[in-house]
Amino acid sequence: MDDTADRPRLIALDVDGTLLRTGEPVTPRVREAVHAAADSGAHVVVATGRTLLATRLVVQELGLGEGRTICSNGAVQADISTWKPRDVHTFDPEPSVGVLRELFPDMVLSVEKVGIGTWTTGYYPGSFRLGEFRFVEDRDLSLEPTTRLNGWWPSGSLADMVEVMGEHELPGAGWVSGENEPWLVASRQGVSKGWALERLRRELDVPLAATLAIGDGYNDCEMLSWAGHSVAMGNAVDAARDVADEVTGSVHEDGVAVVLERWFGN
């Protein structure tokens, strides 16, 4: 896929660890490469685990004015020209809240209120104070279905959390862990970035062979497996590298731009 005649027509880009280093802006080189792809007519889709509100900040920073975005690990699709959710997939978090509270008594739990904010049982690292940020009790988390249930375990390690979770299931939900911290994000069973992108691909009538995905995390594995051509970042976890067709430079090396410039460079 290195001939301009075979340019990808649907490009899925993860955010944290891919488009940017968390907490830092998108570099000018990456921004220019993304713009070149969009200007060529390709569907550039930011596909992230971030909430709709947090995703909007990145898309605006990129300067994209139209198209779609995939948020909350595939549970939300939105039109970036209006920021209206188009495709929202929720689940009842109550059973999962019960399981997680029993396994991790001090875990900080939170749920997304799409386009509104976050309800949480406490502070967690990098708490996005976007929209409404409400402190609640466990029972309040399940007052209505949610797109995502987050858990942060302040007293344990990522490895220990994954080991404990490997012996249990979340009723009606699947989950992915963070890359470095004891985080997990639960979504409706079967929902993932790859699942959501396949739905969008069919809607846009793009051949699977003309799809490209770039990511670095555990929540990118389904997306990388789905794409016609997949690229893991140089800083990607082993699981993402294992399913990708190639590995590019790290986020520190503008790895996204390195890939996109192959087709959309001057």
Side-chain angles (χ1 to χ4, degrees), residues 22-82:
T22 302
E24 298 187 17
V26 178
T27 67
R29 182 183 178 189
V30 169
R31 188 176 187 276
E32 290 170 9
V34 170
H35 264 270
D39 290 345
S40 78
H43 300 282
V44 177
V45 180
V46 172
T48 177
R50 291 192 181 199
T51 66
L52 179 68
L53 294 178
T55 304
R56 185 173 185 173
L57 297 180
V58 177
V59 172
Q60 290 175 335
E61 183 182 348
L62 287 169
L64 299 176
E66 59 182 21
R68 308 287 182 81
T69 186
I70 302 294
C71 315
S72 299
N73 288 331
V76 178
Q77 183 197 126
D79 186 325
I80 66 176
S81 63
T82 63

Side-chain angles (χ1 to χ4, degrees), residues 225-256:
S225 297
W226 158 83
H229 188 74
S230 58
V231 182
M233 299 293 291
N235 50 279
V237 297
D238 288 343
R241 288 170 172 262
D242 289 345
V243 297
D245 295 309
E246 67 169 293
V247 178
T248 185
S250 71
V251 66
H252 301 272
E253 299 167 321
D254 292 338
V256 167

Side-chain angles (χ1 to χ4, degrees), residues 16 22 49-51 73 100 104 106-112 118-128 133 148-163 165 170 174-186 218-219:
D16 296 285
T22 302
R50 291 192 181 199
T51 66
N73 288 331
L100 292 173
F104 310 101
D106 60 337
M107 180 170 272
V108 177
L109 301 173
S110 60
V111 293
E112 176 185 13
T118 301
W119 286 15
T120 179
T121 62
Y123 283 111
Y124 48 87
S127 298
F128 286 110
F133 194 84
R148 53 181 267 169
L149 169 68
N150 291 354
W152 175 62
W153 189 27
S155 63
S157 69
L158 172 61
D160 288 344
M161 186 197 75
V162 171
E163 182 178 359
M165 288 300 299
L170 297 181
W175 63 275
V176 292
S177 71
E179 285 74 60
N180 303 300
E181 301 291 335
W183 275 101
L184 65 80
V185 180
Y218 294 112
N219 64 339

